[in-house]
Amino acid sequence: MKRNKNFILRKVAGESILVPAGEATKNFNGLFSPNRTAVFIWEHIDEVTDTEEMVRLVLEHFDVEEETARTDVEGLIKEMKLLGFVEE
């Protein structure tokens, strides 16, 4: 997995947003305001090879049960792939 380089994470008025750039502006009309977990996943997605590694990173960083971390990570990565933010 890797970030789609056509999306940029920015802080605006204390909020994180993913902004399309380059080719992404042709297919994505809008902004995405990720929560804290989604920002963490976005910032670390290039460091992992699979969902299991990301679950481990989330467990190390957040005080959360493994089942919750797994559900959140799987759901967020699936959504990010559907929106084109993350590529295989």
Side-chain angles (χ1 to χ4, degrees), residues 3-9 18-28 42 84-85 87:
R3 282 184 281 196
N4 180 337
K5 301 300 182 199
N6 288 309
F7 288 92
I8 303 164
L9 182 67
L18 278 172
V19 180
E23 290 296 313
T25 59
K26 295 178 184 176
N27 301 318
F28 190 85
W42 174 262
F85 301 152
E87 304 169 330

Side-chain angles (χ1 to χ4, degrees), residues 7-8 12 16-20 28-34 83 85:
F7 288 92
I8 303 164
V12 177
S16 296
I17 58 170
L18 278 172
V19 180
F28 190 85
N29 186 13
L31 304 172
F32 181 74
S33 182
L83 293 171
F85 301 152

Side-chain angles (χ1 to χ4, degrees), residues 2-66:
K2 64 179 181 174
R3 282 184 281 196
N4 180 337
K5 301 300 182 199
N6 288 309
F7 288 92
I8 303 164
L9 182 67
R10 294 284 186 240
K11 288 265 191 186
V12 177
E15 296 291 322
S16 296
I17 58 170
L18 278 172
V19 180
E23 290 296 313
T25 59
K26 295 178 184 176
N27 301 318
F28 190 85
N29 186 13
L31 304 172
F32 181 74
S33 182
N35 64 22
R36 207 173 82 172
T37 306
V39 169
F40 180 85
I41 290 172
W42 174 262
E43 290 174 338
H44 294 87
I45 198 81
D46 291 338
E47 300 168 19
V48 300
T49 57
D50 60 24
T51 304
E52 287 301 314
E53 282 186 71
M54 184 59 75
V55 170
R56 282 193 296 277
L57 277 178
V58 167
L59 288 170
E60 290 173 7
H61 187 74
F62 295 98
D63 183 22
V64 63
E65 297 291 325
E66 184 173 350

Side-chain angles (χ1 to χ4, degrees), residues 63-82:
D63 183 22
V64 63
E65 297 291 325
E66 184 173 350
E67 182 178 330
T68 302
R70 185 171 314 288
T71 300
D72 289 352
V73 167
E74 288 172 355
L76 286 166
I77 289 175
K78 181 179 179 180
E79 183 177 2
M80 287 179 168
K81 285 180 180 179
L82 285 172

